[in-house]
Amino acid sequence: MLSLDDTGWKDLHGGYGVPYDVSVALRSMQGGNDVWEELWNELHHQGDIGDASYAAVPQLVRIAGMAGSRDWNFYSLLAIIEVDRHRKGNPPIPAWLQSSYDEAWVRAYQVAVMDLSSSTDSLTIRAILAVLALAKGEVKLGALLSGLDTSELDEWLEEHQAWSDSYES
């Protein structure tokens, strides 16, 4: 895992394809500040991610894993980075980062299993399920779970399961 003090962060690229030193936001997050909006804006842009996105994952898992609770932002950002890692045109994970990235996903799975038992928020539950699927290598299922909003889910269930006619609630 790249240390937050490593000067190499300034050479990494975010979702816009330009250098983005995500270590600044990660240090701020570690200090208890809410930086999710910045991370969403800089690490992912219309399906594009960069090496800063990959490098952020182990630190996000470390920092959020120590927190008392996690919300949909943590799980959804991990999911979108992992899903878009498979998108044509995005860079591969750098060899120097592969081991840390893989280890972070093992830990993310463990944290997700723990959080699933206590989470009651629908958006967070769906994001946790996406991370669980992705951690098990189910990329298409993870992409579906992470990209589906409530109205799309309702529409799909109605169309394919006649939900309102066949099921209660």
Side-chain angles (χ1 to χ4, degrees):
M1 176 176 2
L2 194 58
S3 164
L4 291 179
D5 297 323
D6 194 303
T7 59
W9 287 100
K10 64 179 175 43
D11 298 323
L12 301 179
H13 293 78
Y16 288 96
V18 297
Y20 169 59
D21 184 353
V22 66
S23 72
V24 175
L26 292 169
R27 279 194 300 275
S28 185
M29 174 184 273
Q30 187 171 267
N33 296 311
D34 182 348
V35 295
W36 289 114
E37 185 174 350
E38 177 180 340
L39 294 175
W40 275 106
N41 288 335
E42 296 295 336
L43 294 179
H44 175 267
H45 178 69
Q46 298 178 350
D48 295 332
I49 57 175
D51 50 6
S53 310
Y54 300 136
V57 168
Q59 287 290 350
L60 285 170
V61 172
R62 181 188 66 79
I63 294 165
M66 294 185 313
S69 64
R70 288 145 294 277
D71 69 6
W72 68 271
N73 280 294
F74 170 66
Y75 291 107
S76 292
L77 186 57
L78 289 183
I80 200 72
I81 291 169
E82 178 59 12
V83 167
D84 284 341
R85 175 175 78 86
H86 299 276
R87 184 184 286 261
K88 293 176 182 175
N90 279 331
I93 298 171
W96 59 266
L97 181 59
Q98 187 70 58
S99 173
S100 295
Y101 187 86
D102 293 343
E103 290 170 19
W105 271 93
V106 169
R107 178 68 181 133
Y109 178 86
Q110 296 165 343
V111 172
V113 167
M114 182 180 65
D115 284 351
L116 186 59
S117 67
S118 61
S119 185
T120 58
D121 173 63
S122 178
L123 186 56
T124 302
I125 292 169
R126 202 165 42 248
I128 289 171
L129 292 172
V131 164
L132 291 173
L134 290 163
K136 289 295 188 177
E138 295 291 333
V139 178
K140 289 180 182 179
L141 180 58
L144 176 68
L145 289 167
S146 68
L148 202 60
D149 71 23
T150 302
S151 65
E152 292 168 324
L153 178 60
D154 290 343
E155 182 181 318
W156 189 93
L157 286 170
E158 195 59 44
E159 183 179 324
H160 295 280
Q161 300 288 324
W163 191 264
S164 62
D165 293 335
S166 303
Y167 296 89
E168 294 178 17
S169 174

